[in-house]
Amino acid sequence: MLKVRRFAVSAAALLVVVQVAVLLLHYGTDTASVWGDWLDAIAPFVAALVCWLVSRYADSFGKRAWRLVSLSAALAGIGQSLYTYYYDYVHASLGTLWPSDFLVFFWIVPAMMTLFLSVREPHGGLRWLRALDFVQVCILALAVELSQIYVPSRWQAAGQSMQVRALYAGIFFYGLVAVSFVLRGRFSTHRVEKAFFARMSLFLVLYAVVLNVTLKAQSSGHYQQGTWLDSAWTFSYCLLIILPVTWNVREDEPATETLSSTVQLLAVFAPLVIPAIVFPLLLGIAQEQFFCAAALALVSFAAAGGRMFVVQKELLASARELKDNLALLKGITEGTTDAVFVKDREGRYLMINSAGAKFVGKSVAEILGKDDSELFDTGNAVMAADRKVMELGVTQTYEERGTANGISRSYLATKGPYRNAQGEIVGLLGVSRDITERKRAEEEMRQSQQKLRMHFDHTPLGVVEWDLEFRVTNWNPAAERMFGYSRAEALGQHGHFIVPGPFREGVEQVWLDLLHPKVGAQIASRYRFAHNDNITKEGRLISCEWYNTPLVDEAGRVLGVASLVQDLTERVALEDRLRQSQKMEAVGRLAGGIAHDFNNLLTVILGYSQILADGVPSGSRLADSTTQIKSAAERAAGITRQLLAFSRKQVLSPRVINLNDIMLSLDSLLRRLIGEDIEVLTAPANDLGAVRADPGQLEQVIMNLALNARDAMPRGGKLTLETCNVNLDESYAREHLPVEAGRYVMLAVSDSGEGMSEETQSRIFEPFYTTKEVGKGTGLGLSMVYGIVKQSGGYIWVYSEPQRGTTFKIYLPRTDQPAEPNVVEKRPAEVQRGTETILLVEDDPQLRQLSSTVLSHCGYNVLVAASPEEGIAVCQANHRDIRLLVTDVVMPRMNGRQLAEQIVQVCPNLRVLYISGYTNNAIVHYGVLDPGLWFLPKPFSLSALVAKVREVLDAGGGVAS
């Protein structure tokens, strides 16, 4: 288009320059006349070319209009060429008829056809109507030509006055054409039509003025060629060259009809007025041009009749189409479940479909003419919203509530202004859909999503969703707490960010399997309770259980993966500790059972060795052998005591003590035992709290830990003992199960020795486990420490690394009671004898025989029973004489406590002495003897037995059982 515009401007400028130059050089001469006439002939052809080129770039209306104008310009160029030939070369008289006179009125006919074009016509539009209109316009032009020019008698009779008639005809015809274009542009409703007819009106007004000025000069007899009047023709045609290239209007705006029905009817039937104009003109030439007049009249009336036929046919087709459209519209409105309605500006219903009538429970006839205030309880609010839509003039969609017949429902309404043909808003169009059920479903869905979100946010399990690229798309608060990453930090992260490097390959393989639905189902089942190691933001390794589920749509496509994750770190640690505790408990029960039987044997060995020693001369070989037997038995008794300490089956004598006193009392002894190459440091805490424990057992704990530390420092080192008050919080308790949070007194024994590996630490408290050489340790020292601490209600932890030393930390519950003073127990210097009757119940035959012999030797009347049942029978037979029951605690079918309870019912004044090498909950709870009971632990010496029996018999107070 730019090239066409440049060509048109250049051509017009060239024509004007040449015209002005010729007039300046040859004004009033024949040369100026010839040059002027040829320039006036060339200019229309250039205009025709430009109009045709512009039509190629224009849309439908512009293409048709500019091509018709191009044809008119070409006809004008032909007419001007013929005029130049006859005037400048043939020199024909102006009073005669020239061939160019035929085109004086006829060349404009194609351009006049644009008056009947419209943007509304698709492409070619009503082709038959345009053809008939073309015929009518041609007949009108021919009628004017014939009536004014081609009547020989008028030329012969009038002479020069005939040119005056041509002037009047030109003024009338071209004035009428120019006015028609002006009015067409004025009343056009589309900007494309306005733009075209405004351009053509400008040209035609100028052309009409130039033509009529020229005809006026010719009719006056003073017309002269080669003057400035010739330049007016060049200027008018140059304007026709320039106007088309200013066309840049696009037909993207939809055509809107705002003309009244009267104006529209006039536009349709206006061409029928042409025969009424043509017929009087033809009557004037009928006498001399009868056949031409008759032929033109017949063609004009035929064209008019044809146009009426075509218009009527189009009207009938439009009526059928309108009827079909109405039927289609009714089918659409009645076939939908939505309410479709039209209201006037006062809100009264002009139209409503059956579905809309059902909304209010009425018929269509009952609704028409009524407004919403008469149909709905909330009608005023609906009408106010309707008025707002009409005021704004914009279609709106919104929700509204309506209550009719006591039923309230929700509607989704789309309402817009209802306009008439002139574009005025005369009412409202609307479509309403009942969305009550949808709103209820949405509310249920919202509540369900809210509950799901609450579960998602508050579930203790981590919830993670992944896309197909293994990137996080959802991350709940539990996952934030578990891995340390906030939701914002986790979203978009690749799954490897919580997977340790060594495990990523395996996790990647599982991920690839999950993306295949069939395999994914098996993988999800196989890994439902799988344990994986993961890494937190702080770099801490945690053990997690993952349950992965592929998210599959109805078509079977995998959209992602949802994962539930649980942190099992604490549970795994607890399970490990539980297994260790169960193992230690099992070993303890085994050790306790062995100690029980072994203690019976040791008691017999010690007893008979004492009897044997009392019966042989001192200094003899038998006396030495007896001493060795007794020494070996006592060492064995020490081992059983350690086993009992580990199994927590020994009887404690707890009292409130201060650990500083125990530690400081052992200071000098420890320094002698440890050796001079080891530095011993004690760090007692100020204001140390008291604990309730057996001081003798705690001394054993400190001694054993100190001796182990000495063995760990063969080349010397430093041993540190320290105490302090500590408060163990919930965090520490969670990390050191089964510790309970609370107040404790800590005793720490540290050395700078060789340290221990993790494997050694895991077994350090097992009985008979030792890292020393064979013959240098029984492996029971730390087991005894573990048992004493546990039986005292405390906890012990070991911290050690190879070549970095070891620290044992013992935590004992702190008490607010003051420490009790140390009481030294007084024992009688010699064996006391008696004559009371004693019932002895012991299931071990050797121990029973030994005990009965010793007590009988001391003057007591001993009744012996081998079982609880036998003991009850003996008691029933001798209940008046028995003063003391000596019974083993652990026996088949009935324990010593149960036996004592039954015997006391027979002998209410009976006293009871329990003997055992293995305690259970019969007389001991948490390692402490029940109040009011007398107990003698195995293995015991004969003197200890005799002394304890006398102590019980001589004790004041009532009977204890």
Side-chain angles (χ1 to χ4, degrees):
M1 188 67 182
L2 182 60
K3 293 181 179 180
V4 176
R5 188 174 289 113
R6 290 175 178 174
F7 167 74
V9 173
S10 300
L14 179 63
L15 290 171
V16 171
V17 169
V18 172
Q19 179 69 65
V20 172
V22 168
L23 290 175
L24 291 175
L25 295 175
H26 305 286
Y27 183 82
T29 63
D30 292 340
T31 301
S33 174
V34 172
W35 275 91
D37 290 340
W38 280 118
L39 289 174
D40 293 341
I42 293 171
F45 284 115
V46 175
L49 177 60
V50 171
C51 290
W52 185 266
L53 292 176
V54 170
S55 70
R56 296 176 60 186
Y57 295 97
D59 294 327
S60 177
F61 176 81
K63 187 184 298 295
R64 290 176 285 148
W66 288 117
R67 286 182 178 178
L68 288 172
V69 174
S70 175
L71 179 58
S72 289
L75 291 176
I78 294 172
Q80 187 64 32
S81 299
L82 291 174
Y83 173 83
T84 300
Y85 173 74
Y86 277 92
Y87 185 84
D88 293 314
Y89 296 98
V90 177
H91 302 292
S93 172
L94 293 176
T96 61
L97 291 175
W98 296 355
S100 61
D101 293 337
F102 175 76
L103 296 176
V104 170
F105 296 100
F106 192 76
W107 74 269
I108 196 62
V109 171
M112 292 177 63
M113 289 301 300
T114 60
L115 293 171
F116 303 101
L117 297 181
S118 174
V119 175
R120 300 170 187 83
E121 298 175 0
H123 305 297
L126 306 166
R127 296 183 182 278
W128 279 105
L129 286 179
R130 298 292 83 82
L132 294 172
D133 292 339
F134 179 74
V135 171
Q136 290 278 41
V137 173
C138 289
I139 291 174
L140 176 62
L142 289 174
V144 173
E145 293 271 1
L146 290 175
S147 63
Q148 299 301 323
I149 300 175
Y150 292 98
V151 181
S153 61
R154 291 179 180 175
W155 285 93
Q156 294 170 2
Q160 188 67 26
S161 64
M162 192 61 188
Q163 294 182 2
V164 177
R165 292 176 60 86
L167 171 63
Y168 295 152
I171 293 173
F172 168 75
F173 184 77
Y174 283 102
L176 181 62
V177 171
V179 171
S180 298
F181 273 83
V182 171
L183 294 176
R184 182 71 169 83
R186 172 64 181 79
F187 291 105
S188 293
T189 59
H190 198 280
R191 62 187 181 86
V192 175
E193 296 178 4
K194 285 181 174 293
F196 173 77
F197 290 111
R199 287 169 170 78
M200 289 303 299
S201 298
L202 181 62
F203 165 72
L204 288 173
V205 168
L206 177 61
Y207 181 84
V209 171
V210 173
L211 174 65
N212 289 303
V213 168
T214 302
L215 292 176
K216 173 65 176 177
Q218 290 178 351
S219 64
S220 64
H222 301 292
Y223 178 71
Q224 181 182 359
Q225 290 283 92
T227 62
W228 289 107
L229 185 59
D230 293 347
S231 64
W233 288 95
T234 303
F235 292 155
S236 63
Y237 285 125
C238 286
L239 180 62
L240 186 59
I241 294 173
I242 296 299
L243 288 176
V245 297
T246 63
W247 182 262
N248 59 355
V249 184
R250 310 301 300 177
E251 299 177 25
D252 53 357
E253 178 184 329
T256 56
E257 185 63 70
T258 60
L259 299 177
S260 65
S261 57
T262 302
V263 175
Q264 293 181 47
L265 288 174
L266 288 176
V268 172
F269 294 102
L272 298 179
V273 179
I274 294 178
I277 300 174
V278 169
F279 189 71
L281 295 175
L282 295 179
L283 288 177
I285 62 172
Q287 294 181 354
E288 300 184 36
Q289 300 287 345
F290 177 77
F291 291 105
C292 290
L296 290 176
L298 288 174
V299 172
S300 178
F301 283 108
R307 194 179 201 287
M308 292 183 67
F309 174 78
V310 172
V311 169
Q312 184 64 25
K313 183 179 178 181
E314 292 294 332
L315 289 175
L316 291 175
S318 298
R320 285 195 299 271
E321 183 179 359
L322 178 60
K323 184 177 180 181
D324 293 341
N325 290 338
L326 289 175
L328 176 62
L329 179 61
K330 184 176 181 180
I332 293 173
T333 56
E334 295 298 327
T336 181
T337 57
D338 297 338
V340 181
F341 51 86
V342 180
K343 304 177 185 178
D344 61 16
R345 291 193 68 90
E346 284 70 35
R348 294 186 293 267
Y349 282 90
L350 302 177
M351 186 281 289
I352 189 171
N353 65 345
S354 301
K358 290 180 180 179
F359 284 178
V360 294
K362 297 181 181 295
S363 65
V364 174
E366 291 175 319
I367 295 177
L368 295 180
K370 296 181 178 180
D371 58 31
D372 289 307
S373 64
E374 301 176 78
L375 301 174
F376 295 98
D377 296 343
T378 56
N380 291 330
V382 175
M383 295 179 67
D386 292 348
R387 285 192 293 271
K388 186 175 181 180
V389 171
M390 288 185 286
E391 290 173 2
L392 296 176
V394 179
T395 300
Q396 298 181 13
T397 300
Y398 51 87
E399 293 182 9
E400 57 185 5
R401 297 282 295 179
T403 303
N405 299 325
I407 301 175
S408 181
R409 306 190 71 84
S410 297
Y411 302 96
L412 180 64
T414 299
K415 299 179 181 180
Y418 170 42
R419 302 178 186 272
N420 61 10
Q422 287 73 36
E424 300 171 348
I425 298 177
V426 296
L428 179 132
L429 296 169
V431 178
S432 289
R433 174 171 295 177
D434 187 349
I435 59 171
T436 306
E437 296 300 324
R438 193 186 81 180
K439 292 288 289 183
R440 184 180 295 110
E442 288 177 351
E443 179 61 21
E444 292 176 355
M445 177 65 72
R446 187 191 66 79
Q447 293 181 359
S448 176
Q449 290 178 343
Q450 185 177 13
K451 292 178 181 178
L452 182 61
R453 172 54 63 178
M454 291 175 62
H455 287 308
F456 181 83
D457 290 339
H458 297 94
T459 178
L461 298 179
V463 181
V464 184
E465 294 181 10
W466 315 87
D467 61 15
L468 294 178
E469 297 180 357
F470 199 18
R471 296 188 180 279
V472 177
T473 59
N474 214 344
W475 186 266
N476 76 334
E480 291 181 340
R481 295 190 296 271
M482 195 176 301
F483 296 103
Y485 292 95
S486 67
R487 175 182 171 84
E489 292 173 327
L491 291 181
Q493 289 269 25
H494 193 274
H496 287 171
F497 80 114
I498 56 173
V499 180
F503 303 104
R504 289 180 180 175
E505 184 176 354
V507 171
E508 191 69 29
Q509 184 59 47
V510 172
W511 173 257
L512 294 176
D513 292 339
L514 284 169
L515 296 184
H516 300 83
K518 293 182 179 179
V519 180
Q522 300 171 0
I523 292 295
S525 177
R526 184 173 20 146
Y527 285 88
R528 184 186 298 258
F529 302 108
H531 292 176
N532 298 327
D533 286 337
N534 293 98
I535 187 168
T536 66
K537 183 179 180 181
E538 296 79 14
R540 181 170 55 91
L541 281 177
I542 59 175
S543 180
C544 297
E545 182 178 75
W546 290 82
Y547 178 69
N548 304 309
T549 302
L551 302 176
V552 184
D553 63 9
E554 296 178 354
R557 295 188 299 269
V558 178
L559 306 178
V561 174
S563 299
L564 294 178
V565 56
Q566 182 178 8
D567 186 355
L568 303 180
T569 306
E570 292 185 3
R571 194 176 85 180
V572 170
L574 181 60
E575 289 175 352
D576 291 341
R577 294 190 183 99
L578 179 60
R579 283 192 294 269
Q580 180 70 14
S581 176
Q582 290 173 339
K583 181 176 68 174
M584 300 289 281
E585 185 68 26
V587 173
R589 284 197 298 269
L590 176 61
I594 294 174
H596 171 264
D597 295 337
F598 199 47
N599 275 333
N600 286 339
L601 297 175
L602 290 175
T603 303
V604 173
I605 294 172
L606 287 171
Y608 281 110
S609 66
Q610 184 176 353
I611 294 174
L612 184 61
D614 291 341
V616 298
S618 59
S620 64
R621 292 181 59 187
L622 289 176
D624 184 58
S625 298
T626 303
T627 303
Q628 293 298 325
I629 294 172
K630 184 179 180 182
S631 176
E634 289 176 346
R635 288 199 303 272
I639 293 177
T640 60
R641 280 195 297 272
Q642 290 178 321
L643 288 174
L644 289 174
F646 168 72
S647 61
R648 286 167 281 166
K649 298 301 181 182
Q650 62 180 347
V651 177
L652 300 179
S653 299
R655 57 188 178 87
V656 180
I657 59 174
N658 189 305
L659 279 182
N660 284 344
D661 296 339
I662 304 296
M663 183 178 66
L664 293 175
S665 66
L666 293 175
D667 183 78
S668 60
L669 178 60
L670 287 177
R671 295 179 187 275
R672 289 196 301 271
L673 291 175
I674 296 301
E676 296 181 357
D677 57 341
I678 296 177
E679 181 184 3
V680 179
L681 298 177
T682 55
N686 295 326
D687 300 326
L688 186 69
V691 299
R692 184 175 182 79
D694 188 325
Q697 297 295 330
L698 289 184
E699 289 177 356
Q700 289 293 322
V701 167
I702 296 174
M703 292 296 293
N704 274 280
L705 293 177
L707 292 175
N708 273 285
R710 180 196 64 183
D711 295 339
M713 297 183 288
R715 291 179 294 276
K718 182 166 64 175
L719 173 65
T720 303
L721 289 82
E722 58 180 323
T723 58
C724 67
N725 295 321
V726 294
N727 291 318
L728 302 182
D729 57 14
E730 295 292 343
S731 175
Y732 183 91
R734 284 195 299 269
E735 296 178 1
H736 296 80
L737 296 175
V739 173
E740 295 182 1
R743 301 186 308 153
Y744 291 86
V745 173
M746 185 199 72
L747 168 63
V749 180
S750 305
D751 65 64
S752 58
E754 298 175 349
M756 293 180 285
S757 65
E758 291 186 3
E759 181 182 359
T760 301
Q761 292 180 57
S762 65
R763 302 184 60 190
I764 192 67
F765 297 117
E766 294 181 11
F768 305 110
Y769 176 79
T770 179
T771 58
K772 300 176 183 178
E773 298 178 6
V774 178
K776 291 191 176 182
T778 62
L780 290 172
L782 290 178
S783 300
M784 184 184 69
V785 170
Y786 177 84
I788 293 173
V789 172
K790 286 294 184 180
Q791 199 171 8
S792 300
Y795 308 96
I796 182 170
W797 300 99
V798 58
Y799 306 89
S800 181
E801 292 183 26
Q803 308 305 321
R804 290 183 177 270
T806 302
T807 298
F808 288 90
K809 289 187 177 181
I810 297 172
Y811 297 93
L812 296 175
R814 186 168 49 179
T815 179
D816 293 329
Q817 299 177 8
E820 301 176 12
N822 189 14
V823 178
V824 179
E825 183 179 356
K826 295 183 179 180
R827 292 187 178 270
E830 59 181 19
V831 175
Q832 298 179 352
R833 304 174 63 85
T835 60
E836 292 90 344
T837 299
I838 299 173
L839 173 59
L840 174 63
V841 182
E842 171 62 60
D843 61 336
D844 186 275
Q846 291 179 319
L847 182 57
R848 184 173 65 247
Q849 177 64 36
L850 174 64
S851 300
S852 64
T853 301
V854 171
L855 291 175
S856 297
H857 180 73
C858 291
Y860 296 101
N861 182 22
V862 180
L863 303 177
V864 180
S867 66
E869 294 82 3
E870 185 180 350
I872 294 173
V874 171
C875 178
Q876 290 174 347
N878 301 276
H879 65 279
R880 297 179 184 274
D881 301 325
I882 300 174
R883 294 293 178 265
L884 175 65
L885 169 64
V886 179
T887 178
D888 192 5
V889 175
V890 181
M891 292 182 293
R893 296 182 300 277
M894 186 184 299
N895 62 43
R897 183 66 176 270
Q898 294 169 337
L899 171 64
E901 290 174 350
Q902 294 192 28
I903 288 179
V904 167
Q905 294 178 1
V906 179
C907 302
N909 296 322
L910 184 73
R911 297 186 178 186
V912 181
L913 172 62
Y914 296 99
I915 58 174
S916 180
Y918 175 83
T919 63
N920 58 16
N921 289 336
I923 63 171
V924 175
H925 291 85
Y926 305 104
V928 180
L929 191 68
D930 290 347
L933 299 184
W934 289 284
F935 177 74
L936 179 62
K938 299 177 183 178
F940 51 79
S941 65
L942 297 179
S943 58
L945 174 62
V946 173
K948 195 69 176 179
V949 167
R950 190 70 258 169
E951 176 187 350
V952 175
L953 288 171
D954 293 341
V959 178
S961 60

